[in-house]
Amino acid sequence: GNSVTQMEGPVTLSEEAFLTINCTYTATGYPSLFWYVQYPGEGLQLLLKATKADDKGSNKGFEATYRKETTSFHLEKGSVQVSDSAVYFCALSVQGSNYKLTFGKGTLLTVNP
Amino acid sequence: NAGVTQTPKFRVLKTGQSMTLLCAQDMNHEYMYWYRQDPGMGLRLIHYSVGEGTTAKGEVPDGYNVSRLKKQNFLLGLESAAPSQTSVYFCASARDRGYNEQFFGPGTRLTVL
């Protein structure tokens, strides 16, 4: 089956620190990979995505590269801000699955000023 | 353009009561999904629909029913609520043109006493 394993949280950083949240996956078939972000009290929003190997998704200073050889899609940001405090979810969708998403458990990030 | 909306935002039920959660989208999306979010579990798919008049089971369908009588609406029903159904419920939709991003509603927080 399909599964996503992401770094356990919570993660607490100071403003301007470097962020990495690890994500690895197993999939039957060729997946597209996503990072979603959930701000407090809100629904999920797509942060970035990559649909084929070696693609790099990027948005709002966040980046993640689809690494097929290591089945990974780690999220990085060079300098976090207080406003980045949220829960981050790694997810995958396999072709032919009616676009169903399989999520990781989420990682809570808190950025302190 | 409201995107995906959910009604109600909060609800408290007693064990054995029934209720229906409404999801509406105004993006003319074919695909709609219901997830539940529990602490430390990420999001798990309950049911989904690939078009008007269709429904299918997801990962955790027991205790829930759904209907998609109109393309823009996707209803989630609990016939006899149990405390184990205390959760935050999210609806999402996606279009069917090879873009597999899901758009999420703001969520419904349900407590079953």
Side-chain angles (χ1 to χ4, degrees):
Chain A
N2 302 322
S3 68
V4 175
T5 302
Q6 66 180 99
M7 188 171 146
E8 296 268 340
V11 174
T12 303
L13 296 173
S14 298
E15 208 164 23
E16 299 184 2
F18 184 84
L19 169 71
T20 300
I21 301 178
N22 291 336
C23 172
T24 58
Y25 67 89
T26 59
T28 54
Y30 196 70
S32 295
L33 302 172
F34 305 84
W35 278 100
Y36 278 83
V37 58
Q38 184 181 29
Y39 298 104
E42 298 184 9
L44 280 71
Q45 304 173 24
L46 180 66
L47 180 60
L48 53 84
K49 70 176 183 181
T51 58
K52 62 183 188 294
D54 300 325
D55 267 3
K56 177 185 282 187
S58 61
N59 186 25
K60 299 181 181 179
F62 291 89
E63 294 183 340
T65 301
Y66 188 145
R67 300 286 188 202
K68 190 177 179 185
E69 64 276 12
T70 55
T71 62
S72 65
F73 193 55
H74 305 320
L75 182 68
E76 295 182 338
K77 187 174 185 182
S79 176
V80 294
Q81 305 300 313
V82 172
S83 57
D84 293 327
S85 297
V87 180
Y88 292 82
F89 292 94
C90 186
L92 68 81
S93 176
V94 177
Q95 265 187 332
S97 69
N98 294 316
Y99 308 123
K100 288 183 291 182
L101 287 169
T102 299
F103 285 92
K105 293 184 178 181
T107 301
L108 173 63
L109 170 66
T110 302
V111 181
N112 295 318
Chain B
N1 192 345
V4 180
T5 58
Q6 294 182 231
T7 311
K9 287 186 169 48
F10 303 94
R11 186 73 187 268
V12 178
L13 290 179
K14 294 181 180 178
T15 297
Q17 287 185 318
S18 63
M19 78 162 294
T20 300
L21 283 67
L22 171 63
C23 175
Q25 52 93 5
D26 61 2
M27 298 174 281
N28 201 36
H29 284 173
E30 289 293 332
Y31 292 76
M32 296 187 75
Y33 309 83
W34 275 108
Y35 295 91
R36 59 178 290 173
Q37 182 181 29
D38 302 294
M41 301 290 291
L43 277 77
R44 293 179 292 169
L45 182 65
I46 305 172
H47 286 281
Y48 66 100
S49 168
V50 302
E52 182 179 314
T54 75
T55 63
K57 294 180 179 179
E59 182 185 357
V60 288
D62 292 343
Y64 305 94
N65 56 74
V66 287
S67 64
R68 183 101 181 267
L69 298 180
K70 294 183 179 180
K71 185 177 184 178
Q72 63 268 34
N73 295 336
F74 194 30
L75 279 63
L76 178 71
L78 287 72
E79 290 184 347
S80 179
S84 60
Q85 295 177 303
T86 293
S87 188
V88 181
Y89 291 86
F90 287 100
C91 176
S93 70
R95 57 181 171 173
D96 181 22
R97 292 182 191 172
Y99 304 104
N100 45 11
E101 174 185 353
Q102 290 188 17
F103 294 80
F104 282 79
T108 295
R109 183 174 294 276
L110 175 66
T111 301
V112 183
L113 301 176

